[in-house]
Amino acid sequence: MKKKPLKMPRKKTLRLCALGLILLLLAGAAGYTVWIQRGKEEKTYVYKEETVARGDVVQGVMESGNVSLTESDIAWEVDLSEEEDGDDSSEDEDEDDEEIRYLEIEEVFVVTGQRISQGDPLFSISQESREGVARYLQSSVTEKEIALATAESEYKTGALEAKGTYDSSMLTANTADAALNAELTRLNGEIDSLTSQVSVLELEVNRCLEKLTDGDFLDSLEEARQDYESAKEKYEETDPHVVAAYTANYQSYASAKQQYESLLSQKEEWEETIAQNQETILENNGEILEKQSILEAKRTDAQNTYELNRASGDLASEIYSYTKQSLQESVDSAREEYDRAVETLEELQAFVGDDGIVYADGDGLVTNIYYEAGDRLTRTGTLLSYAKAEEYTVTVDVSEEDIADIGIGDSVRVAFTAYPDEIWSGTVDSITTTKTSDYAATVSYPVEIRIEGDTERLFGGMTAEVTFVTEMASDVLYVSRKAIVDQDGKTYVYVGDGEEKQLQEVVTGLENSTLVEIQEGLSEGDTIYIQSVTD
C-alpha cells in the first residue's frame, strides 16, 4: 500500500513566503543604503590652478557699446571738366583740343581694410597727365595775369582820366597853375595809359615767345617737316603709271604737307603777333614822347577851358567816384581770378608732388577706394576714405542714476570682446543731454568715448565694455573672485601641494564682478586653486 506524501498546512506556507519576501526587501534596502546612497552622498572635487597677480582692481559703472569709425577723405579738389573762359578765340579752342585736362591714376597701392600710416603711398599719377594738366593750368595763370594787367591798366587810365576831369572842373578860375595842373594830370594819365598798354603788349609778346620756344611745339614742327619731306620724296619717286601707289603716296604727301603748313601757319601767326605788338609798342612810345613834348603848350589852353569845366564840377565828382569804384571792382575780380588760378596750380603741385605719388595725410584704416588704375580725374571728388586712428569712438547708454557722476574729459577703461585680456584707455568726449527714448522702460543718456592708444587692431562694430571708474586700487595683489571661499564670516582661498588642499585665510579689499584685492595672506606669484564639484 502506497504512502501519501505529507502536505504542509496552507496557512504555514503563506507565512513562510511572506517572511521570505520581507527578508528580501530588507536586504535590498540595506544594500541601497550602504552602497548606492553612500555613493551619491560622496562628492568629487577638481581644482583649477591660478597665480596671484599684481595690477589694478577697478570698481565702477559698466556699459556695453560698439566701435564707431569717423572717416576722413583724400580728395582731388580741382575741376578740369569745363572751360574757365567762355570768350576764347577759335585759335585758342583749337589749341585747347590738344590739351590734357585730366589726371590719370597709374597705380593704386592700398586696398580696403588696410592699415595706413601718414606718408604711405596711396596712388600714383601718370607723368604725361601730370605734365599736361600743369601746362594747362600754367597757361590759365598766364591768361589771368594778362587779364589782371589789362584791368589794372584800365583802372589807372580811367581813374586818372576821371580824376583829371574832376580836378580840372574844380580849379579856381583865377589860378592858371591849377588849370595847368589839371591838364598835366590828364596828359600824364594818357602817358600812363600808353605805358600800361605797352606793358600789356609786352606780356602778349612774351606769351607768343613762350609758345614759339615750347619744346613740344618745336618737336611737333620738326616731326611734321620730316614727315612732309619724306612723303614728298616718296611721292616724287613714285611711277605715275602705278595708279594705286601713286594715289596713296600723293594722299600721304598732301596730308603731311597740310599738317606741316598748319604748324608753320601757327608759327607765323605768333611771329606776326610779335611783330605787330612790337610795332604798336614803338608807336606808343613815340606818342608818349609827343605828349610829353606838348605838355608845355597846354599851359595856355588850361585857362580857356576853366569856365566850362567848373560848370560841370559837381557832375564830375559823381562820375569820378562811380568810375573809380567800377574800375576797382574790375581789378578786384581779375585779381581774384588770377589768385584762384595760381592757387589751383599750387594745389596740383601739392597733390601730385615731384614724384606723382599721392601720400596719406594721417594714420588709419582704409574704408573705401573710389578709383582704380586707369581711371581719370576730371572733377572734384574723393579718391579714398579712411578712419583716423585717433578718432575711434564707442557710444554707450548710461542710466539716469549714474549719469550725474560722469563728466566730459573723464578717463575710462575699455575692454573688447575680441581681446579679453587687454585694457584700452578712453576719454569721455560728449554727453547727450536728451534721453535715448521716450518709450524705454529706464531713462538713459548716450555718452561718447574716444579710444586712446594703439587702435590698429580695432575694427568698426566691435563690441566694447566701458567702465566708468568710481573707485580703483592700483598696483595691488588680486585673484579671481571664483577663488574666494566665505566661511563663518572669514575669507579663505585653497592652497596646498598635490591632491591635498587646505583653506588659508586671507584679508580682502576692493572687489568687482571678476576680481578681488588681496591685502594680507598671499604674495605675488603664489599658487592658489579654484574648487569646483564634478558628478
Side-chain angles (χ1 to χ4, degrees):
M1 182 173 165
K2 241 179 185 180
K3 290 185 178 179
K4 294 182 179 180
L6 295 176
K7 291 185 178 181
M8 188 175 295
R10 183 176 181 83
K11 289 183 178 180
K12 189 174 182 180
T13 301
L14 292 174
R15 287 176 181 171
L16 290 174
C17 290
L19 181 60
L21 181 60
I22 291 171
L23 291 174
L24 182 61
L25 290 174
L26 290 174
Y32 173 81
T33 301
V34 173
W35 302 105
I36 298 178
Q37 185 65 27
R38 189 171 65 179
K40 282 190 175 183
E41 289 179 352
E42 290 182 353
K43 295 181 180 180
T44 302
Y45 296 98
V46 295
Y47 295 88
K48 178 183 177 182
E49 184 178 299
E50 183 176 295
T51 302
V52 178
R54 180 176 294 276
D56 300 336
V57 178
V58 177
Q59 193 176 76
V61 179
M62 301 179 65
E63 301 290 350
S64 296
N66 300 99
V67 176
S68 298
L69 309 180
T70 301
E71 290 190 344
S72 297
D73 296 329
I74 302 295
W76 167 243
E77 299 180 350
V78 178
D79 192 345
L80 302 171
S81 61
E82 297 179 358
E83 293 281 354
E84 293 189 5
D85 296 324
D87 299 330
D88 291 342
S89 64
S90 59
E91 291 84 2
D92 291 335
E93 291 175 357
D94 292 340
E95 181 184 348
D96 288 345
D97 291 339
E98 300 180 2
E99 292 178 340
I100 296 177
R101 298 193 183 182
Y102 59 81
L103 291 178
E104 183 174 2
I105 295 179
E106 197 168 48
E107 187 174 357
V108 181
F109 299 112
V110 293
V111 296
T112 301
Q114 179 177 336
R115 296 282 179 179
I116 58 174
S117 300
Q118 183 172 355
D120 284 351
L122 305 177
F123 301 91
S124 66
I125 308 299
S126 71
Q127 182 176 353
E128 181 182 3
S129 67
R130 296 196 324 264
E131 293 176 349
V133 172
R135 284 195 299 271
Y136 164 63
L137 294 179
Q138 182 61 59
S139 175
S140 177
V141 169
T142 302
E143 291 175 2
K144 297 299 185 294
E145 184 179 13
I146 294 173
L148 175 59
T150 302
E152 289 176 338
S153 173
E154 292 175 351
Y155 172 83
K156 186 179 294 185
T157 301
L160 288 172
E161 288 179 352
K163 183 66 165 58
T165 302
Y166 169 72
D167 288 345
S168 64
S169 299
M170 300 300 295
L171 287 175
T172 306
N174 297 323
T175 307
D177 287 343
L180 175 62
N181 289 336
E183 186 63 3
L184 292 179
T185 299
R186 185 184 68 80
L187 288 172
N188 284 325
E190 292 177 359
I191 293 173
D192 289 338
S193 174
L194 290 170
T195 303
S196 298
Q197 292 175 20
V198 168
S199 298
V200 172
L201 291 171
E202 287 174 345
L203 282 173
E204 186 66 27
V205 168
N206 291 335
R207 182 187 179 197
C208 292
L209 286 173
E210 288 177 1
K211 292 182 177 180
L212 283 172
T213 57
D214 180 71
D216 292 341
F217 174 77
L218 293 176
D219 291 342
S220 299
L221 181 61
E222 178 61 21
E223 183 179 350
R225 185 190 66 77
Q226 294 176 2
D227 292 343
Y228 162 70
E229 292 177 353
S230 175
K232 180 181 178 182
E233 181 180 356
K234 188 174 182 180
Y235 160 68
E236 291 175 348
E237 293 175 356
T238 303
D239 187 353
H241 299 290
V242 184
V243 177
Y246 186 82
T247 301
N249 291 341
Y250 174 76
Q251 291 175 346
S252 298
Y253 162 70
S255 175
K257 180 180 180 182
Q258 181 182 5
Q259 177 67 19
Y260 180 50
E261 290 177 348
S262 174
L263 291 175
L264 282 177
S265 176
Q266 179 68 77
K267 180 173 178 291
E268 292 169 358
E269 181 181 335
W270 290 334
E271 291 172 343
E272 182 180 357
T273 299
I274 293 173
Q276 290 176 350
N277 285 3
Q278 288 175 338
E279 182 179 355
T280 303
I281 290 171
L282 290 175
E283 292 175 356
N284 286 359
N285 286 335
E287 190 173 349
I288 289 171
L289 293 175
E290 181 182 349
K291 288 185 180 297
Q292 288 174 340
S293 68
I294 64 173
L295 281 175
E296 188 64 29
K298 289 294 183 179
R299 291 180 181 274
T300 57
D301 295 335
Q303 184 63 37
N304 296 331
T305 58
Y306 166 74
E307 293 295 338
L308 177 63
N309 291 337
R310 182 175 182 180
S312 60
D314 292 340
L315 179 61
S317 177
E318 295 179 3
I319 293 175
Y320 169 65
S321 297
Y322 172 79
T323 301
K324 187 174 181 180
Q325 179 180 356
S326 177
L327 291 172
Q328 184 63 53
E329 289 175 354
S330 298
V331 172
D332 292 343
S333 177
R335 183 172 299 280
E336 287 178 3
E337 292 188 6
Y338 170 73
D339 291 343
R340 187 160 52 246
V342 172
E343 182 181 356
T344 300
L345 182 59
E346 291 174 349
E347 287 176 356
L348 170 70
Q349 294 167 344
F351 184 72
V352 301
D354 296 330
D355 55 4
I357 304 297
V358 180
Y359 294 96
D361 59 5
D363 303 341
L365 173 70
V366 177
T367 55
N368 280 295
I369 300 175
Y370 300 97
Y371 288 86
E372 58 186 23
D375 286 349
R376 294 179 174 181
L377 304 176
T378 58
R379 299 180 181 273
T380 59
T382 300
L383 281 74
L384 175 146
S385 297
Y386 69 97
K388 284 191 174 181
E390 67 272 16
E391 294 183 3
Y392 281 43
T393 61
V394 176
T395 300
V396 296
D397 293 334
V398 179
S399 67
E400 60 180 332
E401 292 84 2
D402 299 320
I403 196 67
D405 297 326
I406 297 173
I408 303 295
D410 286 357
S411 295
V412 301
R413 295 164 65 91
V414 185
F416 296 94
T417 303
Y419 309 107
D421 298 328
E422 299 181 58
I423 298 294
W424 272 258
S425 297
T427 301
V428 176
D429 253 9
S430 66
I431 301 174
T432 302
T433 56
T434 304
K435 60 183 179 180
T436 54
S437 173
D438 291 331
Y439 306 101
T442 58
V443 177
S444 58
Y445 300 87
V447 177
E448 184 177 273
I449 311 300
R450 185 181 72 254
I451 303 171
E452 298 176 347
D454 183 9
T455 58
E456 282 195 1
R457 292 179 294 154
L458 305 182
F459 295 90
M462 277 188 171
T463 302
E465 188 173 80
V466 177
T467 301
F468 299 90
V469 179
T470 58
E471 188 176 357
M472 182 172 70
S474 301
D475 193 29
V476 297
L477 300 180
Y478 65 83
V479 298
S480 170
R481 188 181 183 88
K482 296 179 181 179
I484 299 299
V485 179
D486 293 318
Q487 286 186 3
D488 301 327
K490 295 183 179 181
T491 305
Y492 302 88
V493 295
Y494 279 102
V495 297
D497 295 326
E499 296 182 359
E500 296 295 328
K501 304 292 187 296
Q502 60 269 2
L503 291 173
Q504 178 173 312
E505 185 177 357
V506 294
V507 177
T508 62
L510 188 66
E511 61 183 67
N512 56 33
S513 59
T514 58
L515 302 177
V516 177
E517 176 192 0
I518 301 298
Q519 296 180 338
E520 295 180 11
L522 294 172
S523 300
E524 182 178 0
D526 286 353
T527 299
I528 63 170
Y529 298 90
I530 300 174
Q531 184 191 72
S532 58
V533 179
T534 61
D535 294 333

